[in-house]
Amino acid sequence: MTTVQTKAGTEFLSYALSVGMSADSGRGCYYPTDTLIGKNGRLYVINRSLEGLDKGVRVTMCDIDSEYYGTFGSYGRGDGQFVWLTSGAMDSQGRIFITDEYLHRISAFDSDGNFLFTWGKHGSDEGQLDGPSGIACDDSDNIYIADTHNNRVQKFTSSGIFLSAIGSAGDGKGQLSLPWGVTVSPGGDVYVADWGNDRIQRFKPDGEFVESYGEPGNGNGQFTRPSSVAVDEEGYVYVADWGNERVQVLDPDGGFVQMLRGEATLSKWAANFLAVNNEEGDARSRANLEPQIEFFDPDDPHEVSSKIEKYFWSPMSVKLDAQGRLYVTEGNRHRIQIYQRTPL
């Protein structure tokens, strides 16, 4: 294992800021599962809400400076609607593609959120989907979808024509168990968050297995139910280690680099809310945000994260922008924590 540090001894990534706050309508996020970083500089936050609730299901449009551009989508089964929206990707034309795990389909929108078209059919045959989750586009606008319950990743044209499949059910090399996140690296390889096998797998675009990273556990370089993966220009791998309530960074060879637990500060939206709502703002200013707690099980990352506000609580997704900043979407805290590379 390797630990990458700067000359000053600081770590590979450092915390920059947070975006978002809890809101089930309008400006804010509500149990988000992913953040799509658009080529136009906008962030598209995929808000899944809670199962059984129709309020809060939408895509929130904002940017890293917390400018708000509105929302699109709603709960339902019609065009431009969702039941369990899960992940998003953008092609070279600026079109947004969003997976719906419940409706087994992909919906396309323009960059302003106007509905364009939808495709997808439930099933297990070639080109059919069963619980699609992660989604990514390559440089040719082909779309890769984590076909979760079919234990494979499928490749389509942007109009939904089936091209090929990667993986099969199992725990061997190149096999998958409930794959969740998927990304295409700058070099064109396909990385899959192999959720049920607690590892990341790497494939060539034609589906040839390349290598696997990680194993089950909570140590450095180990994973528990990884939900998302991102890869930068240098080949560093970023993993949302969902079951361990953390994010891990690996070097291009799979060696451990850094573990993040979360360092959130107030977002601009949250600070504005507290400034307007004086009672809540005063109560927060008096609160101890890092109390000495006697945890029932201090080794349980879920218990610890649920009680310390700055920590990740359900880190669902990791994404990188053009400047190399890392965006970590937290489902249970309705926000995105953003990290940047520490200068060497």
Side-chain angles (χ1 to χ4, degrees):
M1 294 187 297
T2 59
T3 300
V4 176
Q5 295 185 324
T6 66
K7 291 178 182 178
T10 53
E11 293 186 291
F12 185 74
L13 290 174
S14 57
Y15 172 77
L17 74 158
S18 294
V19 173
M21 69 173 184
S22 177
D24 62 10
S25 62
R27 188 182 71 168
C29 312
Y30 204 58
Y31 296 96
T33 54
D34 191 22
T35 300
L36 165 62
I37 303 170
K39 296 174 175 61
N40 54 4
R42 287 189 182 181
L43 307 179
Y44 299 84
V45 185
I46 312 296
N47 298 291
R48 184 175 175 125
S49 188
L50 288 172
E51 185 175 346
L53 291 181
D54 57 359
K55 196 170 186 182
V57 175
R58 69 200 190 281
V59 178
T60 302
M61 297 183 288
C62 60
D63 63 25
I64 194 172
D65 297 316
S66 293
E67 290 295 322
Y68 172 61
Y69 302 104
T71 67
F72 65 89
S74 61
Y75 181 87
R77 299 167 186 263
D79 289 346
Q81 294 185 310
F82 314 100
V83 176
W84 290 350
L85 74 173
T86 306
S87 187
M90 179 178 280
D91 69 7
S92 65
Q93 301 177 50
R95 296 180 299 184
I96 297 165
F97 296 84
I98 297 175
T99 55
D100 191 313
E101 187 181 0
Y102 186 89
L103 296 175
H104 314 287
R105 71 184 187 189
I106 285 76
S107 295
F109 301 82
D110 68 19
S111 59
D112 292 320
N114 299 304
F115 174 75
L116 298 175
F117 55 86
T118 188
W119 51 265
K121 183 178 180 181
H122 186 209
S124 58
D125 293 339
E126 283 188 352
Q128 295 181 336
L129 300 166
D130 190 358
S133 51
I135 184 170
C137 290
D138 66 15
D139 289 342
S140 299
D141 287 345
N142 298 311
I143 296 179
Y144 294 81
I145 296 172
D147 186 12
T148 301
H149 295 289
N150 284 324
N151 299 298
R152 64 190 179 188
V153 171
Q154 294 202 77
K155 181 180 179 181
F156 298 87
T157 67
S158 58
S159 59
I161 298 173
F162 171 78
L163 296 174
S164 61
I166 296 173
S168 60
D171 59 7
K173 290 182 178 180
Q175 294 185 315
L176 301 167
S177 174
L178 301 175
W180 186 263
V182 61
T183 193
V184 179
S185 73
D189 283 355
V190 180
Y191 289 70
V192 183
D194 191 2
W195 192 86
N197 286 322
D198 300 313
R199 64 188 179 186
I200 303 300
Q201 294 207 73
R202 179 182 177 184
F203 299 86
K204 291 294 184 185
D206 62 5
E208 177 188 352
F209 171 77
V210 178
E211 58 188 324
S212 177
Y213 307 99
E215 61 184 6
N218 58 12
N220 291 341
Q222 296 179 327
F223 306 114
T224 299
R225 301 300 186 248
S227 57
S228 180
V229 58
V231 182
D232 68 18
E233 294 279 353
E234 298 172 84
Y236 285 93
V237 181
Y238 306 78
V239 181
D241 190 6
W242 176 84
N244 286 319
E245 302 284 6
R246 64 188 184 181
V247 169
Q248 293 197 69
V249 185
L250 308 179
D251 68 24
D253 297 319
F256 174 77
V257 173
Q258 186 180 2
M259 183 268 286
L260 305 173
R261 284 297 309 275
E263 301 178 53
T265 53
L266 280 179
S267 70
K268 288 184 178 180
W269 293 352
N272 180 68
F273 174 87
L274 292 170
V276 172
N277 294 271
N278 294 328
E279 265 188 45
E280 294 185 51
D282 290 343
R284 181 186 174 83
S285 68
R286 297 191 301 271
N288 179 5
L289 298 179
E290 295 190 48
Q292 295 298 313
I293 298 173
E294 191 171 324
F295 295 106
F296 179 77
D297 182 0
D299 294 324
D300 179 359
H302 307 295
E303 183 185 3
V304 176
S305 283
S306 68
K307 293 177 172 62
I308 306 297
E309 182 187 279
K310 70 178 183 179
Y311 287 166
F312 299 132
W313 190 12
S314 190
M316 300 289 294
S317 165
V318 286
K319 291 288 179 68
L320 294 164
D321 68 11
Q323 287 73 45
R325 292 175 296 211
L326 178 71
Y327 295 66
V328 183
T329 303
E330 291 181 72
N332 287 347
R333 286 217 165 89
H334 320 286
R335 68 190 178 196
I336 301 101
Q337 291 196 45
I338 302 171
Y339 293 75
Q340 60 194 5
R341 287 282 291 271
T342 306
L344 295 174

